[in-house]
């Protein structure tokens, strides 16, 4: 089993920066695709970013490209999301997710493609 725990959320002003971390434990070597999703009040959970094992490429939601960077530290078993120039529309609960599947581009943006989820961390962008 794999467990995920997110941290790093908080309140930030527009234009500010936050770094989210996802600490993984358990059989992390079995996970092949890692993702970040977010869910704002009254909205469905949406894809933010993803990265696949053995592939340096990252994939992003269009509205966060150029502002968010996802990375994975294999030695530390952590996945991070560096978020810059945050805007009020980025306000949401952010979730880390993982799956043993080697997701293709059309499926890595779909929440149901992931097997393991963290509890989430709140990000609020407000003046």
């Amino acid at each position: 089993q794999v467990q995920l725990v997110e941290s790093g959320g908080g309140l930030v002003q527009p234009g500010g920066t936050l770094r989210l971390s996802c600490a993984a434990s358990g059989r992390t070597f079995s996970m092949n695709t890692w993702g970040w999703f977010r869910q704002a009040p009254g909205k469905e959970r949406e894809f933010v970013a993803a990265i696949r094992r053995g592939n340096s490429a990252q994939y992003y939601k269009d509205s966060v490209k150029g502002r968010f960077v996802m990375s994975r530290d294999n030695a530390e078993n952590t996945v991070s999301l560096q978020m810059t120039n945050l805007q009020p529309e980025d306000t949401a609960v952010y979730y880390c997710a993982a799956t043993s599947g080697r997701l293709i581009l059309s499926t890595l943006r779909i929440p149901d493609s992931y097997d393991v989820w963290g509890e989430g961390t709140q990000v609020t962008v407000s003046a």
Side-chain angles (χ1 to χ4, degrees), residues 18-126:
L18 280 176
R19 183 178 180 87
L20 304 183
S21 293
C22 174
S25 60
R27 296 171 60 88
T28 58
F29 60 86
S30 65
M31 298 292 106
N32 288 298
T33 306
W34 300 78
W36 283 99
F37 289 77
R38 66 188 183 188
Q39 188 166 16
K43 295 187 177 181
E44 294 187 351
R45 192 167 297 189
E46 65 175 8
F47 170 79
V48 175
I51 192 168
R52 295 184 293 199
R53 178 189 295 272
N55 183 343
S56 60
Q58 301 105 50
Y59 307 90
Y60 297 96
K61 175 180 173 64
D62 285 347
S63 64
V64 307
K65 285 181 181 177
R67 301 189 297 124
F68 290 12
V69 177
M70 181 177 182
S71 61
R72 182 164 189 268
D73 185 331
N74 293 325
E76 297 293 330
N77 275 335
T78 60
V79 175
S80 300
L81 185 68
Q82 179 74 22
M83 307 186 294
T84 61
N85 192 21
L86 283 160
Q87 300 301 315
E89 53 266 33
D90 295 317
T91 295
V93 177
Y94 282 70
Y95 297 90
C96 177
T99 177
S100 57
R102 295 185 180 275
L103 302 182
I104 59 176
L105 190 57
S106 61
T107 57
L108 57 78
R109 300 171 186 269
I110 302 173
D112 285 347
S113 300
Y114 294 78
D115 307 312
V116 185
W117 291 84
E119 293 295 318
T121 184
Q122 176 70 48
V123 171
T124 303
V125 185
S126 174

Side-chain angles (χ1 to χ4, degrees), residues 3-26:
Q3 296 79 41
L4 305 176
V5 179
E6 303 95 335
S7 63
L11 172 64
V12 64
Q13 293 184 340
T17 297
L18 280 176
R19 183 178 180 87
L20 304 183
S21 293
C22 174
S25 60

